[in-house]
Amino acid sequence: MPSPKISAALQQITATPDKQQAYQALLSQVQQASPPAQLPQDLIAILDAIFADSLGIVATRSLSGLFVQTLKSVSNGETKITVGEHALEIFQAQASSFEEQNAQVRELMASAYEDDEDNLAAAKVLAGIPLESSQRKVTNEDKVKFWIRITRNYLEVDDTILGEQYLNKAKNLIYTVSDRDLNLHFKLCQARIQDARRDFLTAAQGYHDISFLPVIAEEERLHTLSMAIKCAVLAPAGPARSRSLGRLYKDERALTLDEFPILEKMFLDRLLSPEEVTKFAEGLAPHQLATTSDGITVLAKAVVEHNLRAASQLYTNIGFDALGLLLGLEGGKAEETTARMIEQGRLVGRIDQIERVIWFEAGEATGEKGSGRAEGIVGKELRRWDANVQGLAEEVEKVTSELQLRYPDFVAANLVV
């Protein structure tokens, strides 16, 4: 029920010849005349009265626009939401005539929902704004702005599926938008979705690119650089990740971040200890600690694959059980992980299942499927040993020759025939 003052004012308007002007005057005074607790009901009563009177479409549309401006000036978010929901029902009955008012009310409600951290409701109410209509012209920049805002709200509730749908719409028009901030938000949303989808290498590149943009504060640039490092660490071990780690390791700003120690160890192919992994996990988001189809977390899988690559730099060959002990896995699981990485071209080696031994080969895998397989060649290790001995003998010969050139008397006096 409306307050007594507003009820009396509406009664007077029914007998007024110039109703449009009377409604305008009432809307301009309603916030002063109504108690805060009664304001939602008073605004609803005024809107109902405007649409109940036969004022004509032009006058009704004009008053509806003024009503929206009045609602916009209200500071209470709950009032905006309550009145807005009722207004949308009214406008929906004549949707084609009140598209602009419908859009403005939805924006007001979305802002109120965002202030209350109800991002899902904000995304849903924004999604109802008509962007393709002959009654209302919307520029490409405005469309992209709406879609990115919806995407950001869905990302706040970790709904990457719906968020990606709206980001894909923005992707088709973002090239026409010159607004610098809008392009930045688009790139950031894109990186966050790639991160959530576990496309960590692409996300790391996106975050790293954003960290160089001068339009954001230094603190934000360091935060996105930190996100880039986290994504690179979580990416599948292989040549592509090594290149990503290399770019980040060479970034001088990385030295100031908490993630630098694990970044350095991974870049240098050093084994990671459980304590280091536990400390790194404290800074990860829930989706980055999710369990994969293998039954282990994303982080645990990344660490196992990294330690396997690190072991390949330390050992020429190693047994299944010994490798499993090193990786914290059973021998059979260590063999399975190694076989998968070799097959995917992320590790060079071969597996002797009879002897239960894994042989690692020198060189870097290309990342192409099947490129990690190495053939067992008879006598290969012996020839490698011979080559090492020959190389050592040649180096000793070079040293002796240099001594004879620089210190001939010393060599002559100490030469043993």
Side-chain angles (χ1 to χ4, degrees):
M1 291 290 293
S3 62
K5 283 186 178 180
I6 299 302
S7 294
L10 291 174
Q11 286 292 333
Q12 292 178 359
I13 291 175
T14 58
T16 303
D18 191 349
K19 294 183 178 181
Q20 182 175 353
Q21 187 175 355
Y23 279 122
Q24 290 174 352
L26 180 58
L27 285 170
S28 64
Q29 300 169 3
V30 64
Q31 292 193 65
Q32 291 77 27
S34 298
Q38 197 66 37
L39 183 58
Q41 294 303 318
D42 287 348
L43 287 170
I44 289 173
I46 293 172
L47 184 63
D48 287 343
I50 290 172
F51 275 82
D53 278 329
S54 301
L55 302 176
I57 188 64
V58 175
T60 304
R61 188 180 293 165
S62 175
L63 288 172
S64 297
L66 182 59
F67 176 85
V68 172
Q69 293 304 314
T70 302
L71 183 60
K72 187 175 183 180
S73 64
V74 174
S75 58
N76 187 280
E78 290 185 10
T79 298
K80 289 180 179 178
I81 293 171
T82 302
V83 177
E85 288 175 347
H86 185 78
L88 290 180
E89 292 178 6
I90 298 291
F91 296 148
Q92 192 63 36
Q94 304 177 52
S96 60
S97 300
F98 298 94
E99 286 187 356
E100 184 63 36
Q101 291 81 359
N102 174 67
Q104 291 177 0
V105 169
R106 287 182 180 275
E107 285 190 72
L108 291 176
M109 292 176 65
S111 297
Y113 281 129
E114 288 169 348
D115 291 340
D116 289 342
E117 297 184 356
D118 190 351
N119 298 97
L120 182 59
K124 288 181 177 179
V125 76
L126 285 170
I129 295 177
L131 299 180
E132 302 291 344
S133 171
S134 59
Q135 304 294 325
R136 179 170 174 263
K137 182 172 179 167
V138 184
T139 65
N140 286 349
E141 185 170 317
D142 287 336
K143 290 179 183 178
V144 171
K145 189 181 297 182
F146 277 119
W147 288 328
I148 289 179
R149 187 177 178 185
I150 294 170
T151 299
R152 293 176 68 185
N153 276 293
Y154 275 126
L155 289 177
E156 288 299 318
V157 294
D158 293 327
D159 192 339
T160 56
I161 296 175
L162 286 175
E164 188 175 12
Q165 287 181 12
Y166 285 96
L167 190 69
N168 287 337
K169 293 182 179 182
K171 189 184 297 183
N172 296 326
L173 294 178
I174 190 66
Y175 69 92
T176 67
V177 177
S178 58
D179 185 272
R180 188 172 57 180
D181 292 339
L182 205 53
N183 276 275
L184 171 62
H185 288 308
F186 174 80
K187 291 178 181 177
L188 188 56
C189 287
Q190 198 169 41
R192 289 180 63 184
I193 286 176
Q194 289 161 345
D195 181 1
R197 291 174 55 195
R198 300 179 193 169
D199 186 3
F200 292 120
L201 279 177
T202 309
Q205 181 64 55
Y207 283 130
H208 198 202
D209 291 342
I210 294 170
S211 74
F212 289 112
L213 297 177
V215 296
I216 58 177
E218 178 65 22
E219 183 179 351
E220 290 299 319
R221 290 202 294 271
L222 289 176
H223 175 70
T224 52
L225 178 61
S226 171
M227 292 300 297
I229 294 174
K230 290 175 182 177
C231 287
V233 168
L234 293 171
R241 192 194 69 162
S242 296
R243 290 191 292 271
S244 180
L245 291 172
R247 285 191 298 269
L248 293 165
Y249 182 72
K250 293 172 185 175
D251 192 324
E252 296 179 354
R253 300 172 299 166
L255 285 165
T256 63
L257 300 176
D258 294 337
E259 294 82 10
F260 182 75
I262 198 168
L263 169 65
E264 183 176 41
K265 279 203 164 185
M266 281 199 157
F267 174 68
L268 299 176
D269 282 332
R270 295 173 181 169
L271 291 169
L272 296 173
S273 67
E275 293 77 16
E276 291 171 319
V277 176
T278 301
K279 183 179 179 181
F280 177 74
E282 293 173 357
L284 297 180
H287 72 271
Q288 294 172 328
L289 293 170
T291 303
T292 66
S293 57
D294 297 335
I296 61 175
T297 65
V298 175
L299 175 60
K301 185 175 182 179
V303 170
V304 166
E305 291 184 350
H306 165 75
N307 281 344
L308 179 53
R309 276 178 57 88
S312 72
Q313 306 298 315
L314 296 173
Y315 298 92
T316 301
N317 58 73
I318 188 172
F320 292 175
D321 296 330
L323 180 61
L325 185 63
L326 188 66
L327 300 179
L329 302 173
E330 296 178 356
K333 193 68 176 177
E335 178 202 4
E336 181 184 329
T337 303
T338 306
R340 183 177 65 250
M341 291 184 67
I342 291 174
E343 180 63 26
Q344 293 174 351
R346 296 189 284 135
L347 186 70
V348 181
R350 55 188 173 87
I351 299 176
D352 187 336
Q353 292 183 317
I354 297 176
E355 297 293 335
R356 292 178 57 80
V357 173
I358 298 169
W359 293 81
F360 298 116
E361 301 292 335
E364 184 71 49
T366 64
E368 296 180 4
K369 188 174 181 180
S371 64
R373 299 176 188 171
E375 299 295 333
I377 302 174
V378 177
K380 183 177 180 180
E381 295 301 318
L382 183 59
R383 287 197 293 275
R384 182 182 296 173
W385 177 265
D386 290 343
N388 289 339
V389 172
Q390 180 180 349
L392 178 61
E394 290 174 353
E395 290 298 322
V396 171
E397 180 65 25
K398 289 180 183 178
V399 172
T400 304
S401 300
E402 190 68 22
L403 285 172
Q404 288 176 335
L405 288 173
R406 295 191 181 189
Y407 309 103
D409 295 338
F410 172 81
V411 173
N414 292 276
L415 182 62
V416 178
V417 180

